[in-house]
Amino acid sequence: MPGSGTDRTRPPLQAAAPVIILVEPQMAENIGMCARAMANFGLSELRLVAPRDGWPTGGGLKKGATSAASGATHILDNARLYASAAEAIADLNHVLATTARERGQMKRVVTPAEAMPPLAARIGAGERVGILFGRERIGLTNEEISFSDAILTFPVNPAFASLNLAQAVLLAGYEWFKATGGDAPFREQTLSPPATRATILSMFDYVESELEHCGFFPPGKKPVMTANLRDILHRLSLTEQEARTLRGVFKSLAEGPRRRKPEQG
């Protein structure tokens, strides 16, 4: 049943995303951290199967989850309770079950990166999709995994494959967000266009002339050394402004000493 939160300003449920189903979560903090991970990546519908200690009753339990959610309380307030995994997935059309180990079931196994684009297509076609996450200590039972269409597993170090509940939800949510067009919230803005060849070649001519003037090139080595220098500068992929600034730096280094007056004895 829905939570009893009364905050009318909280974000609405977003139906066009996978439902996250936590089966018998044991710790309030884990429920809260899962809600936070969901909110990070645009997931908002949370279902809880027989959580320990009778969520959301008990002030301490709810308080611990709310604190761990770090602001994602709208997900906790709208979380729905179910008595079993079968009941929690009854209205869904497609279900993935998460596990870190082989279970001997002849099911397709996919990583989050492989799974999310097809899930997005299913949701776009009007299907309801869910992802089952198991208990903190023992995960999902074989019977619960048998309810699913495929197994979702994570590419982790096989010598240490254990993920906590919120980490698993976060990894799935991250790949979901990527698959549905999520991008970095900010990127470096380049206001100057790429440098023209004329600017770059002019800088080459100036630098090489000054290096020759100060005796930098050993006899017979100038062609090879100038080619290497040009390759170094090309790899910088300079903008027009950067190229002009760099030339100004070179000019200051070369001409600065010439402008200094000899120290008085």
Side-chain angles (χ1 to χ4, degrees):
M1 62 182 177
S4 57
T6 58
D7 181 7
R8 296 181 181 276
T9 66
R10 64 179 180 243
L13 285 175
Q14 301 169 354
V19 177
I20 300 300
I21 306 156
L22 308 183
V23 179
E24 296 184 10
Q26 297 178 359
M27 299 178 63
E29 290 79 6
N30 284 344
I31 297 174
M33 287 189 290
C34 286
R36 179 178 182 177
M38 290 172 61
N40 285 150
F41 299 111
L43 303 169
S44 60
E45 188 169 350
L46 176 63
R47 299 182 181 184
L48 304 174
V49 176
R52 194 179 69 178
D53 300 331
W55 168 277
T57 60
L61 179 66
K62 186 64 177 289
K63 183 178 179 180
T66 300
S67 176
S70 191
T73 53
H74 61 285
I75 294 177
L76 298 178
D77 291 339
N78 286 301
R80 299 184 178 184
L81 297 179
Y82 295 85
S84 68
E87 292 179 18
I89 64 174
D91 63 327
L92 304 180
N93 306 108
H94 189 82
V95 175
L96 300 181
T98 61
T99 182
R101 60 186 187 275
E102 197 275 328
R103 297 298 190 98
Q105 298 191 28
M106 297 299 293
K107 286 187 178 294
R108 188 166 55 95
V109 177
V110 292
T111 66
E114 295 167 338
M116 297 307 157
L119 288 193
R122 287 180 178 276
I123 290 172
E127 293 187 30
R128 294 281 281 147
V129 169
I131 306 175
L132 282 168
F133 293 85
R135 303 153 187 83
E136 288 93 332
R137 290 186 60 197
I138 63 172
L140 296 168
T141 66
N142 286 339
E143 182 182 21
E144 289 161 348
I145 290 175
S146 74
F147 298 155
S148 69
D149 297 280
I151 287 174
L152 181 68
T153 196
F154 303 94
V156 294
N157 177 9
F160 194 80
S162 176
L163 291 173
N164 70 34
L165 191 55
Q167 287 174 327
V169 172
L170 185 139
L171 288 174
Y174 171 70
E175 292 295 347
W176 165 257
F177 200 64
K178 283 174 55 182
T180 53
D183 198 2
F186 61 88
R187 292 186 183 277
E188 178 185 6
Q189 293 187 354
T190 302
L191 301 179
S192 178
T196 63
R197 291 301 89 184
T199 299
I200 295 294
L201 294 179
S202 176
M203 180 174 63
F204 288 165
D205 288 343
Y206 178 79
V207 171
E208 291 161 15
S209 174
E210 291 296 330
L211 289 174
E212 186 168 26
H213 178 75
C214 69
F216 176 75
F217 300 112
K221 297 291 186 179
K222 181 179 177 181
V224 173
M225 294 180 72
T226 55
N228 289 340
L229 178 61
R230 292 180 183 188
D231 286 342
I232 291 170
L233 294 173
H234 274 310
R235 284 196 291 272
L236 298 177
S237 298
L238 297 170
T239 66
E240 188 74 16
Q241 183 59 53
E242 289 169 340
R244 293 179 184 275
T245 299
L246 190 58
R247 175 169 177 155
V249 170
F250 293 148
K251 184 175 182 180
S252 180
L253 289 173
E255 299 182 6
R258 299 173 194 165
R259 293 195 297 266
R260 296 186 192 130
K261 295 180 181 180
E263 294 184 5
Q264 299 296 322

